[in-house]
Amino acid sequence: QVQLQESGPGLVRPSQTLSLTCSVSGGSIRTNSHYWTWIRQPAGKGLEWVGRIYTSGSTTYSSSLKSRVSISIDTSNDQFFLNLTSVTAADSAVYYCARTSYFDSSDYSVTHEAYDIWGQGTVVTVSS
Amino acid sequence: EVVMTQSPATLSVSPGERATLSCRASQSVNSNLAWYQQRPGQAPRLLIYGASTRATGVPARFSGSGSGTEFTLTISSLQSEDLAVYFCHHYNNWPPRYSFGQGTKVDIK
């Protein structure tokens, strides 16, 4: 079955760029049925949606991070990436990649979306 | 931005008893509401989408209800493996709007 695995540096210096990779295995990232999403979780806190990318390269970002975040995709290698610039301690978190899937309601009037597959997460600390 | 507020922050329930978790939206989100379970040290796991539809493989003791601004996740008979933090999540594909509640921690009494 499809699995996701995050990778990248665990320590990033303030003002530098955080770069993470999510590798997809057990299936192709080249699917018309899914978005590929980044979500983060500061230690002891709740979840924050960061952004998503489609196979075509179309992206959507959190309004609070939009000026600093970019997500890209490499369909040849079944990977997608997160770049977050000008990081501060507030960006320290566990970063998860997840697959977004879509489900029709029983009467097909609404399409629901959900993160049905997650990576195990990678801890990123911003510190000098 | 839609603000999702969960209550209580912590819930202590004895094994076999019912657990009821609440999630309130600051404005109507129709049925665009999902629930996720996060066990200690693990990634979140999808439980419910569309406010009331169980995801594949989720035990029947988990049920979701509600629409508009008030939602409930019920665990009908708590098991030890249900020790976790539960998050509600509002999603709106277009225009893209996503927000999580702050979570309810379920302890085994």
Side-chain angles (χ1 to χ4, degrees):
Chain A
Q1 68 276 24
V2 175
Q3 294 183 313
L4 280 64
Q5 175 78 53
E6 304 89 349
S7 59
L11 179 65
V12 181
R13 305 300 182 190
S15 80
Q16 299 301 303
T17 297
L18 179 162
S19 297
L20 297 175
T21 298
C22 182
S23 299
V24 179
S25 60
S28 175
I29 203 171
R30 294 184 299 275
T31 166
N32 294 328
S33 304
H34 306 290
Y35 273 87
W36 304 93
T37 299
W38 288 98
I39 294 166
R40 70 181 185 177
Q41 184 175 34
K45 296 187 178 180
L47 299 162
E48 179 183 11
W49 188 85
V50 174
R52 68 181 186 187
I53 190 165
Y54 193 58
T55 301
S56 64
S58 173
T59 54
T60 311
Y61 300 128
S62 163
S63 56
S64 65
L65 298 172
K66 192 171 185 176
S67 63
R68 299 193 293 127
V69 68
S70 65
I71 299 174
S72 57
I73 193 166
D74 179 355
T75 56
S76 298
N77 291 302
D78 291 318
Q79 295 178 320
F80 64 107
F81 311 96
L82 172 68
N83 274 1
L84 184 65
T85 62
S86 304
V87 297
T88 69
D91 296 310
S92 297
V94 177
Y95 283 76
Y96 294 101
C97 59
R99 186 182 77 172
T100 304
S101 291
Y102 295 87
F103 307 92
D104 289 324
S105 62
S106 55
D107 62 359
Y108 298 94
S109 64
V110 179
T111 298
H112 296 287
E113 63 177 89
Y115 314 119
D116 61 341
I117 300 176
W118 296 66
Q120 87 281 4
T122 188
V123 177
V124 177
T125 301
V126 178
S127 176
S128 55
Chain B
E1 178 187 347
V2 179
V3 178
M4 309 302 293
T5 303
Q6 292 186 242
S7 61
T10 303
L11 186 62
S12 294
V13 181
S14 299
E17 295 296 306
R18 176 186 299 264
T20 302
L21 290 68
S22 295
C23 176
R24 173 175 293 178
S26 60
Q27 63 191 74
S28 176
V29 298
N30 298 309
S31 60
N32 294 342
L33 192 285
W35 290 93
Y36 293 86
Q37 175 194 62
Q38 187 174 34
R39 291 172 172 150
Q42 295 187 17
R45 167 199 179 197
L46 174 65
L47 294 178
I48 301 282
Y49 62 87
S52 61
T53 303
R54 273 191 304 276
T56 301
V58 175
R61 65 180 182 274
F62 291 93
S63 63
S65 63
S67 66
T69 62
E70 300 285 343
F71 300 89
T72 300
L73 175 70
T74 302
I75 310 172
S76 61
S77 178
L78 195 77
Q79 307 296 305
S80 58
E81 62 263 32
D82 299 334
L83 166 70
V85 178
Y86 294 83
F87 294 97
C88 62
H89 173 51
H90 160 58
Y91 51 87
N92 194 70
N93 187 42
W94 194 262
R97 297 284 187 270
Y98 302 95
S99 53
F100 288 92
Q102 78 279 21
T104 290
K105 182 179 180 180
V106 174
D107 282 337
I108 309 299
K109 189 182 292 184

